[in-house]
Amino acid sequence: MEIINFAEHDSLISRYMLELRSIDIQHDPLRFRTNLERIGEIMAYEISKRLDYKNEDITTPLGPCTCRTIADKIVLATILRAGLPFHQGFLNYFDHAENAFVSAYRKYKEKGDSFDVLIEYMASPRLEDKVLVIVDPMLATGSSMELAYRALLTKGIPSKIHVASVIASRQSIEYVKSTFPEGTTVWVGAIDDEVNSHSYIVPGLGDAGDLAYGEKD
């Protein structure tokens, strides 16, 4: 399994990551959503280099021309709700992609910080022989990502899987390695060392869903 960590190389993502993490900047929801979207666009561009292409003959106003175009059929899958602006960045570039949406949430137990991850809703096209790109900004434990993936497999086996996240923990990276197929490629803006007792990534950035859309009751 290949892990591509953008924090290992300086790029525009470094600036957007700074703004997502900083308590002095991230309080602006519009800017927060925009930065998630921008990172999604950059990752989509990088993923596009790994896809299969074909020639397509077209006609310009001055004559015939042969162009290269993506041959793969792509499905963009998102875990709601924080994943929506991140997903939009991918969709801005893969604008012909099909889309899947999975609602996964933490159901906390009566006492303590323990919880179960539950899938409440899924809408997806057929995945057979398509490239599946699963996007979720925060990859803390990896359990939500795995459950979403297992649910999506009911729609067929994709030809290739890409997992994209803004921030992941080392724990979640190891979990994905152990639960996803060997040929999966993981794209991440940064990998942080710790997960606290609430299963939040440290230093992370806080609750991405709340920062993007407001606190939930």
Side-chain angles (χ1 to χ4, degrees), residues 148-185:
Y149 166 63
R150 299 296 177 194
L152 288 164
L153 287 182
T154 63
K155 302 299 182 180
I157 306 299
S159 60
K160 173 70 178 177
I161 301 168
H162 296 273
V163 172
S165 185
V166 175
I167 301 177
S169 70
R170 296 200 181 278
Q171 171 186 329
S172 69
I173 292 295
E174 293 305 314
Y175 189 81
V176 168
K177 285 181 180 179
S178 68
T179 55
F180 276 69
E182 185 177 339
T184 301
T185 303

Side-chain angles (χ1 to χ4, degrees), residues 79 142-151 175 179-180:
I79 300 175
S143 56
S144 295
M145 182 66 74
E146 184 204 6
L147 281 177
Y149 166 63
R150 299 296 177 194
Y175 189 81
T179 55
F180 276 69

Side-chain angles (χ1 to χ4, degrees), residues 54-58 60 65-69:
K54 63 181 179 180
N55 291 333
E56 183 171 326
D57 295 327
I58 64 167
T60 80
C65 178
T66 300
C67 297
R68 297 286 285 168
T69 188

Side-chain angles (χ1 to χ4, degrees), residues 9-101:
H9 307 280
D10 289 334
S11 71
L12 276 173
I13 285 183
S14 300
R15 176 62 195 182
Y16 302 147
M17 293 291 293
L18 180 154
E19 295 188 2
L20 285 173
R21 289 185 189 263
S22 172
I23 60 173
D24 297 321
I25 300 174
Q26 65 172 204
H27 58 79
D28 179 348
L30 175 58
R31 192 167 182 176
F32 189 85
R33 293 192 302 270
T34 298
N35 284 328
L36 287 178
E37 187 173 335
R38 287 167 167 169
I39 293 174
E41 289 175 340
I42 295 171
M43 288 188 179
Y45 172 73
E46 294 297 328
I47 290 173
S48 76
K49 299 176 184 179
R50 305 292 187 93
L51 301 175
D52 290 333
Y53 285 74
K54 63 181 179 180
N55 291 333
E56 183 171 326
D57 295 327
I58 64 167
T59 301
T60 80
L62 299 178
C65 178
T66 300
C67 297
R68 297 286 285 168
T69 188
I70 295 172
D72 288 316
K73 293 181 179 179
I74 302 169
V75 176
L76 301 176
T78 302
I79 300 175
L80 302 174
R81 65 180 168 147
L84 289 174
F86 193 39
H87 177 97
Q88 185 61 49
F90 284 86
L91 190 58
N92 288 345
Y93 279 24
F94 295 133
D95 52 327
H96 290 94
E98 296 178 281
N99 295 268
F101 299 93

